[in-house]
Amino acid sequence: MFDLLGITPQALYSQLLVGLINGSFYAVLSLGLAVIFGMLNIINFSHGAQYMMGAFLAWIGLTQVGGWIGDPEFQLSYWAALLVVPLLMGGFGMVIERCMLSRLYKLDHLYGLLLTFGLALIFEGLFRYFYGVSGQRYEIPEVFAGAIDLGFMALPKYRAWVIVASLTVCFATWYLIERTRLGAYLRAGTENPRLVQAFGVNVPLMITLTYGYGVALAAFAGVLAAPIFTVSPLMGADLIIVVFAVVVIGGMGSILGSIVTGLALGLIEGLTKVFYSEASAVVIFVIMVIVLLVRPAGLFGREK
Amino acid sequence: MNKTTLGFCTLAAAGLAAPLLGIYPTILMKCWCLALFACAFNLLLGYTGLLSFGHAAFFGAAAYFAGHAIKVWGWPPEAGIIAATLFAGALGWVFGSLAIRRAGIYFAMITLALAQMTYFVWLQMKFTGGEDGLQGVPRARLFGAFFGGIDLADNMNLYYVVFAIFLAAFCLIYRTIHSPFGQVLKSIRENEPRAISLGYDVEKYKLLAFVLSAALAGLAGATKTVVFQLASLTDAHWHTSGEVVLMTLLGGLGTVFGPVVGAFVVVGLQNELADKVGPWAQVIMGIIFVVCVLAFRRGIVGELIALARRTGIRRA
């Protein structure tokens, strides 16, 4: 079959792997957008910039911080970055929510989109000013050097880790929201914030935490991405537009829906690269058009 | 003389006199093109309440269309500009009929994604010249068939042609806003379910507004190609979509003259900043965006109108 299509199995498997990796990032990022949208009713346009900042903070921690604090031996290791960077960015996100976003809830939701767009421009511009657009390399941590031989293909260890880690985070989020008490408050708050507040739940705090969590998810994806893609100020901008299309396709109604849609679209993109590579940049947008024609609310969405 | 007539006269006088005051005509022409772009965008966001985050698609598509028609097919400029405007309108019809299936935030995301799709198409097509852009579009004679026409190679001639195009489109937008059609658009912006219950086919009105806005954005893009003799990927990039939102927001959302003021301020700023601060320009644009949204939502013209109203009440 492979001979007929003029494609080697190796090429197919390696593109499927690339697709699965991209799909994992789409899943984590669209999940973050969906969580934020559920609670705040805004689309976080700076999600891509926050993903970029996550990658950059990991790189800065590994290569720059030592010099800044006068101890060149000091490095923020990959594992530490995976924990510290999302926490830092989550805190930063909560500050943004408290100081800026919270002033906009009474207005049209579009203002939230415009504000976060402005923030994205600022973040991107700042990192461009300090680090240029050429991109920085982040070494793969030693544990994940090399590849596992699966018989039909070599699977680089780090890539396997990325898929495992992002899926774990996705399902942990799903569990947190769908199966715990806190998640029940959150879902209730999404449905009817005033009623939940009347029951004595601190809804504004919940909103702040939700935004912080969404931003932390983006930063986590950024740290995961740092060793695979070059760390550059522009890495988030184009990605986030694709993730928007993913969100339109999946609809933001369900957590599992975001995860499944993200992974599936990554795979489809990978397959398109094998069979008709010219179309791989637009295939997700084309699928979006088809979904809009057939099922405007999105595959997992509900009409409101 | 009421305020609107006064505004129109000021605008016309400023436009006619500006190049005589020693301001570099190319910058002014850029301002008028982007002002037209912002006015077209304002028709959609300010008067219909639809936030399109992909208006650069129409600007860029018309820029490429006009450039290719004039340079390769050898069309006269007027034919190139008109055809490009129609092309942008047709593209607007396709995008519009897809995007109005969803409202609000989804509408913004869909238009952005569709615009990004066309961006990739331009990036891969041969005739657009990829990263280099479509260069060296000739400035032929406008209306060459009638009495020799107007020589566009002369900057002053071109300036007044561009200004005339702007003024014509601006009057068209003004008429649209103040027509019964425009009133229906405003009612959709204010309360869509009510407009539906009054029997208006809201989808049709939204689509018409979208097509008109896209066509006028295309007119701006095509004119820009003639001025700069260049159509490039920048025209179709989402940064351009963001810029037009900023111009409209800064000048005053839903005001007639706001987008014009916003376009002049943004182009002026970019022109000043580009030499002095380089990469900081983007940061400053972002800060203006944030400040506008947080503290300055009425924009420059909106604030002036509010100020005039307050003082008017005090006097009375």
Side-chain angles (χ1 to χ4, degrees):
Chain A
M1 179 191 122
F2 289 114
D3 296 336
L4 276 178
L5 295 166
I7 294 155
T8 61
Q10 280 75 21
L12 180 67
Y13 294 140
S14 71
Q15 286 302 342
L16 279 180
L17 179 65
V18 170
L20 206 55
I21 298 268
N22 285 338
S24 318
F25 287 118
Y26 295 159
V28 179
L29 291 173
S30 64
L31 180 64
L33 281 180
V35 169
I36 292 174
F37 180 77
M39 216 45 216
L40 282 78
N41 265 317
I42 63 156
I43 270 294
N44 184 26
F45 211 123
S46 49
H47 216 66
Q50 283 150 349
Y51 157 86
M52 175 273 288
M53 286 167 83
F56 250 105
L57 287 184
W59 175 79
I60 288 170
L62 191 70
T63 59
Q64 311 284 308
V65 167
W68 293 351
I69 58 172
D71 177 10
E73 293 297 303
F74 179 83
Q75 283 185 338
L76 188 71
S77 74
Y78 175 77
W79 297 105
L82 214 47
L83 185 70
V84 172
V85 170
L87 284 178
L88 270 178
M89 286 298 297
F92 179 59
M94 286 192 250
V95 173
I96 292 175
E97 196 279 335
R98 276 292 86 202
C99 300
M100 298 180 180
L101 285 173
S102 60
R103 292 160 191 268
L104 301 176
Y105 295 144
K106 289 195 185 107
L107 302 168
D108 195 316
H109 302 319
L110 294 176
Y111 283 109
L113 177 84
L114 296 177
L115 178 83
T116 48
F117 177 75
L119 289 175
L121 286 183
I122 297 176
F123 299 151
E124 211 184 278
L126 282 177
F127 278 89
R128 266 173 93 154
Y129 177 74
F130 286 111
Y131 299 106
V133 286
S134 54
Q136 315 287 345
R137 259 177 62 85
Y138 189 100
E139 292 295 330
I140 292 181
E142 250 170 59
V143 200
F144 295 122
I148 312 162
D149 191 7
L150 294 180
F152 55 92
M153 69 176 292
L155 175 64
K157 281 185 195 162
Y158 187 76
R159 302 201 163 211
W161 157 247
V162 167
I163 297 171
V164 172
S166 46
L167 285 184
T168 312
V169 165
C170 284
F171 283 104
T173 307
W174 171 80
Y175 186 84
L176 180 74
I177 292 178
E178 300 286 338
R179 291 286 181 272
T180 65
R181 201 174 172 77
L182 181 68
Y185 285 152
L186 214 65
R187 277 176 290 137
T190 308
E191 289 293 325
N192 193 336
R194 295 180 68 184
L195 196 61
V196 176
Q197 186 140 26
F199 284 142
V201 178
N202 189 343
V203 172
L205 178 70
M206 226 158 69
I207 291 178
T208 310
L209 288 175
T210 306
Y211 189 74
Y213 186 74
V215 175
L217 273 181
F220 179 81
V223 181
L224 277 183
I228 300 188
F229 307 119
T230 41
V231 180
S232 115
L234 306 177
M235 67 191 286
D238 288 338
L239 182 65
I240 198 61
I241 301 179
V242 178
V243 174
F244 279 174
V246 172
V247 163
V248 172
I249 294 168
M252 285 190 285
S254 102
I255 301 285
L256 271 182
S258 313
I259 303 172
V260 173
T261 318
L263 280 175
L265 287 171
L267 279 176
I268 292 174
E269 200 183 31
L271 278 177
T272 319
K273 254 180 213 142
V274 181
F275 292 106
Y276 188 63
S277 65
E278 287 85 354
S280 65
V282 295
V283 64
I284 290 186
F285 301 122
V286 174
I287 294 174
M288 181 190 80
V289 169
I290 297 168
V291 169
L292 279 174
L293 289 173
V294 180
R295 208 182 135 79
L299 297 177
F300 298 90
R302 284 174 303 176
E303 285 282 6
K304 270 196 181 170
Chain B
M1 195 156 72
N2 67 23
K3 284 190 187 104
T4 314
T5 327
L6 187 71
F8 264 99
C9 293
T10 319
L11 188 70
L16 291 174
L20 308 173
L21 300 174
I23 308 173
Y24 191 46
T26 313
I27 292 294
L28 283 173
M29 288 190 273
K30 186 179 181 187
C31 286
W32 290 123
C33 289
L34 288 173
L36 172 54
F37 186 24
C39 287
F41 178 78
N42 188 36
L43 179 64
L44 200 58
L45 177 59
Y47 290 97
T48 322
L50 297 173
L51 171 59
S52 156
F53 230 99
H55 249 48
F58 312 120
F59 190 76
Y64 277 126
F65 191 102
H68 192 72
I70 296 170
K71 185 185 171 189
V72 181
W73 297 338
W75 288 14
E78 65 275 15
I81 291 176
I82 292 169
T85 307
L86 294 177
F87 178 67
L91 194 65
W93 186 78
V94 175
F95 282 16
S97 35
L98 285 168
I100 56 171
R101 287 165 166 262
R102 302 301 306 268
I105 282 166
Y106 281 99
F107 184 90
M109 287 198 287
I110 292 165
T111 44
L112 176 62
L114 290 172
Q116 185 77 349
M117 183 167 85
T118 56
Y119 176 82
F120 282 123
V121 171
W122 302 131
L123 184 66
Q124 284 176 357
M125 291 246 256
K126 289 280 177 295
F127 84 92
T128 60
E131 304 274 351
D132 299 331
L134 189 70
Q135 296 176 356
V137 178
R139 283 188 189 172
R141 297 185 81 86
L142 188 72
F143 299 121
F146 310 97
F147 314 111
I150 305 163
D151 184 15
L152 294 186
D154 182 87
N155 252 348
M156 279 313 227
N157 286 351
L158 184 61
Y159 173 81
Y160 286 108
V161 168
V162 169
F163 184 62
I165 291 176
F166 167 79
L167 216 53
F170 188 76
C171 291
L172 176 70
I173 292 173
Y174 183 82
R175 262 327 300 155
T176 309
I177 294 167
H178 292 88
S179 68
F181 173 72
Q183 298 300 330
V184 178
L185 292 186
K186 277 182 232 169
S187 79
I188 294 173
R189 177 190 69 186
E190 295 301 324
N191 194 337
E192 188 174 332
R194 191 138 182 203
I196 297 172
S197 76
L198 287 173
Y200 291 109
D201 188 349
V202 168
E203 302 250 308
K204 206 171 75 188
Y205 280 92
K206 280 186 182 174
L207 184 59
L208 257 176
F210 197 92
V211 171
L212 189 60
S213 172
L216 290 171
L219 177 61
T223 314
K224 192 235 71 172
T225 300
V226 173
V227 172
F228 287 94
Q229 304 180 281
L230 168 78
S232 72
L233 282 174
T234 321
D235 300 333
H237 196 254
W238 57 265
H239 263 269
T240 307
S241 297
E243 240 164 51
V244 77
V245 181
L246 179 62
M247 289 170 193
T248 313
L249 195 64
L250 180 64
L253 209 59
T255 60
V256 177
F257 294 98
V260 183
V261 176
F264 272 79
V265 173
V266 169
V267 174
L269 262 180
Q270 280 174 339
N271 204 42
E272 285 294 309
L273 290 176
D275 316 331
K276 289 172 195 147
V277 294
W280 283 104
Q282 190 185 342
V283 179
I284 293 170
M285 290 296 137
I287 292 172
I288 297 176
F289 231 111
V290 170
V291 171
C292 274
V293 173
L294 283 179
F296 194 57
R297 278 185 289 275
R298 281 190 287 223
I300 297 170
V301 172
E303 290 290 344
L304 287 179
I305 293 174
L307 189 74
R309 277 200 193 130
R310 271 204 303 271
T311 48
I313 290 165
R314 230 175 274 154
R315 248 179 247 150

